[in-house]
Amino acid sequence: MSGFDAKPRSAGPVALAASAPTSRGTGVTPGTYPNSRDVEAISAMKDPVARNVAITQGYSDLSSAVGQMLGTENASWATFGTWASKQAGVSIRQEDMPKLLVDALHGAGDVTGPLAKVDDILRKVGLPALPGLSDIAQAGAKALDSVSQAIADGNQLVFHEVGTEFARFIETFQGDTAFDAAKTQKYLESFPADKPLLKQAFGHYAEAMFEKDPNKKAELMLLANDQIGLHEQTRLQPYVEKALNTPVKETFRDLLKQSIQGAANALPFPANLAAKAAIKSGVVDAALSPVVDGLASTFRRFATDHMMKLAVPGGALKLGNDLPPPAGMEKDLFPANLRTLENPELRELMGKLDRTPDSLHGTAAKDWSRLDQRMNYIIDLFRSRQSDPHLFDPPFGKRGQYPVRAEAPRVA
């Protein structure tokens, strides 16, 4: 199904029921999606792992409910949010990260070469070699914790904001059989003034609900998805910067210096004096700098490679690479209803965010800390995958049951 195969160590408070086919219609069965109170309860969970599982399931069930109202020909932002949250869970749990980091350090020439030179200098002044790479990698656990915490906090923030609005949308419009301009206007007036993109986006979902023209409907859905994506990524900016700018140099430098100082203190007199003098001279510090630089560089490459991914049904996308065409669409790139864009508001937004119009070349986000690079990738992801029916697959193979409970069975 997806590139996310590992089972979470604990589950959220959502009971899971066997999946059933989604039928087209405007009515949504109560208890099949998280309402506003459920979103609040899930967002308030303290265990980041359990909360992520519940968020991922919640997005999926919100997506299913919206699909019953608007149809499943076009994925909503919640549909994409399901898979982004599922991938976030890998980083939050740090699955196999310590071992993978050790392997990365062993294969990094910019670490092993400078490390050998430092060991030569230490031996000359009577000090033992630096800790092995396995021990050094343990220092990376602190940095990994910081990255994981930032991802978990961002996951929580976005679900609380955007999940609440999806729940309100369902609660407001489910069962409607025709567009009601007055009702829609009253609904839109309830949005906070500081969330204009969310207001615009859910207004477009309301329009799309009764749009008969499949091209216009697809464009309204894409416009709404892009607007929520821009809101979400703007709100996530400080969390992304925190995750990618974790002070890894300081972490590794402190470990190595403490190891060297401890070894010097443990030497008998007068060898300890000679070792301390060598340390004080700055020779050791100078030799350590290339090691620290190499460790930090390797860690960031590792974190980017293993954490900056997006799980999708059938695999995982590396955000630092150009977005590949969907299977079977290598020539056309985009679904039929989105190959030519006519909606003026959508065209204007795409003009601001899409650096390579109507192409997937140049979509790679080499620096994920930059909002413009993330959005350039995301809007093409939304456009190229919006009609993929597999995005509606339940992330854990089942649908949730609501309201949420204080405790729940482990996700199978």
Side-chain angles (χ1 to χ4, degrees), residues 185 187-189 191-192 195-204:
Q185 182 60 33
Y187 161 74
L188 294 176
E189 288 172 355
F191 278 81
K195 295 181 174 59
L197 285 169
L198 291 185
K199 178 179 179 179
Q200 295 167 35
F202 283 92
H204 294 312

Side-chain angles (χ1 to χ4, degrees), residues 222-389:
L222 179 59
L223 176 56
N225 292 342
D226 287 348
Q227 288 170 326
I228 297 177
L230 182 55
H231 169 87
E232 166 220 12
Q233 291 300 319
T234 301
R235 294 285 280 142
L236 283 176
Q237 185 64 21
Y239 299 93
V240 173
E241 290 177 353
K242 181 180 178 182
L244 293 180
N245 295 322
T246 294
V248 290
K249 281 191 178 184
E250 292 82 351
T251 299
F252 286 120
R253 187 182 295 278
D254 288 348
L255 169 79
L256 298 177
K257 291 184 73 171
Q258 288 171 13
S259 173
I260 294 170
Q261 192 65 53
N265 292 337
L267 290 173
F269 179 86
N272 62 343
L273 296 181
K276 291 178 181 179
I279 294 171
K280 190 174 182 180
S281 72
V283 172
V284 175
D285 267 351
L288 278 180
S289 289
V291 176
V292 172
D293 288 344
L295 288 169
S297 176
T298 301
F299 178 86
R300 287 198 171 96
R301 289 197 303 267
F302 166 83
T304 299
D305 187 47
H306 289 277
M307 294 186 172
M308 299 306 156
K309 292 180 180 178
L310 175 64
V312 291
L317 302 172
K318 289 191 175 183
L319 309 177
N321 297 341
D322 278 353
L323 187 66
M329 294 171 58
E330 289 77 8
K331 181 180 178 181
D332 297 317
L333 305 181
F334 307 110
N337 292 335
L338 293 174
R339 285 174 199 156
T340 302
L341 303 179
E342 302 295 340
N343 183 295
E345 191 176 352
L346 176 59
R347 288 171 61 88
E348 180 182 4
L349 184 61
M350 295 290 284
K352 294 177 181 177
L353 300 177
D354 195 351
R355 297 181 304 182
T356 55
D358 300 323
S359 173
L360 299 182
H361 293 297
T363 51
K366 298 299 184 182
D367 184 353
W368 197 245
S369 69
R370 290 186 52 177
L371 176 62
D372 61 333
Q373 291 193 24
R374 295 203 305 277
M375 287 309 304
N376 179 63
Y377 187 98
I378 288 168
I379 59 172
D380 279 319
L381 171 72
F382 288 170
R383 184 181 178 188
S384 62
R385 269 75 177 172
Q386 185 167 293
S387 66
D388 182 356

Side-chain angles (χ1 to χ4, degrees), residues 22-325:
T22 300
S23 59
R24 177 77 174 271
T26 57
V28 180
T29 304
T32 61
Y33 72 94
N35 61 26
S36 299
R37 293 183 300 278
D38 295 319
V39 171
E40 191 72 33
I42 292 170
S43 300
M45 293 175 63
K46 301 302 182 184
D47 181 344
V49 173
R51 185 177 65 229
N52 168 260
V53 173
I55 286 173
T56 304
Q57 186 66 47
Y59 275 140
S60 178
D61 295 326
L62 289 168
S63 165
S64 177
V66 171
Q68 292 179 60
M69 296 166 62
L70 277 71
T72 54
E73 300 87 355
N74 299 284
S76 70
W77 183 93
T79 318
F80 289 100
T82 302
W83 302 100
S85 180
K86 190 170 187 181
Q87 183 62 45
V90 177
S91 300
I92 292 169
R93 290 189 299 276
Q94 297 184 32
E95 292 170 349
D96 297 325
M97 286 296 177
K99 178 183 181 301
L100 293 171
L101 180 55
V102 172
D103 293 343
L105 292 174
H106 274 296
D110 54 351
V111 173
T112 54
L115 198 59
K117 292 181 180 179
V118 175
D119 285 343
D120 287 341
I121 292 173
L122 294 178
R123 278 193 291 271
K124 288 177 182 178
V125 298
L127 287 168
L130 287 171
L133 288 177
S134 295
D135 292 326
I136 292 174
Q138 292 306 311
K142 182 179 179 181
L144 287 172
D145 285 342
S146 179
V147 172
S148 298
Q149 185 63 52
I151 292 172
D153 290 346
N155 187 235
Q156 178 185 35
L157 170 78
V158 171
F159 181 72
H160 186 250
E161 285 193 354
V162 182
T164 295
E165 296 307 337
F166 271 103
R168 283 207 316 123
F169 178 85
I170 298 164
E171 292 159 4
T172 300
F173 295 107
Q174 63 173 312
D176 286 10
T177 57
F179 183 75
D180 186 329
K183 178 180 180 179
T184 302
Q185 182 60 33
K186 183 178 179 181
Y187 161 74
L188 294 176
E189 288 172 355
S190 66
F191 278 81
D194 62 346
K195 295 181 174 59
L197 285 169
L198 291 185
K199 178 179 179 179
Q200 295 167 35
F202 283 92
H204 294 312
Y205 283 146
E207 290 181 66
M209 188 171 175
F210 300 105
E211 177 57 62
K212 302 300 183 183
D213 184 303
N215 293 338
K216 291 180 179 179
K217 182 168 188 168
E219 291 189 33
L220 285 169
M221 293 292 292
L222 179 59
L223 176 56
N225 292 342
D226 287 348
Q227 288 170 326
I228 297 177
L230 182 55
H231 169 87
E232 166 220 12
Q233 291 300 319
T234 301
R235 294 285 280 142
L236 283 176
Q237 185 64 21
Y239 299 93
V240 173
E241 290 177 353
K242 181 180 178 182
L244 293 180
N245 295 322
T246 294
V248 290
K249 281 191 178 184
E250 292 82 351
T251 299
F252 286 120
R253 187 182 295 278
D254 288 348
L255 169 79
L256 298 177
K257 291 184 73 171
Q258 288 171 13
S259 173
I260 294 170
Q261 192 65 53
N265 292 337
L267 290 173
F269 179 86
N272 62 343
L273 296 181
K276 291 178 181 179
I279 294 171
K280 190 174 182 180
S281 72
V283 172
V284 175
D285 267 351
L288 278 180
S289 289
V291 176
V292 172
D293 288 344
L295 288 169
S297 176
T298 301
F299 178 86
R300 287 198 171 96
R301 289 197 303 267
F302 166 83
T304 299
D305 187 47
H306 289 277
M307 294 186 172
M308 299 306 156
K309 292 180 180 178
L310 175 64
V312 291
L317 302 172
K318 289 191 175 183
L319 309 177
N321 297 341
D322 278 353
L323 187 66

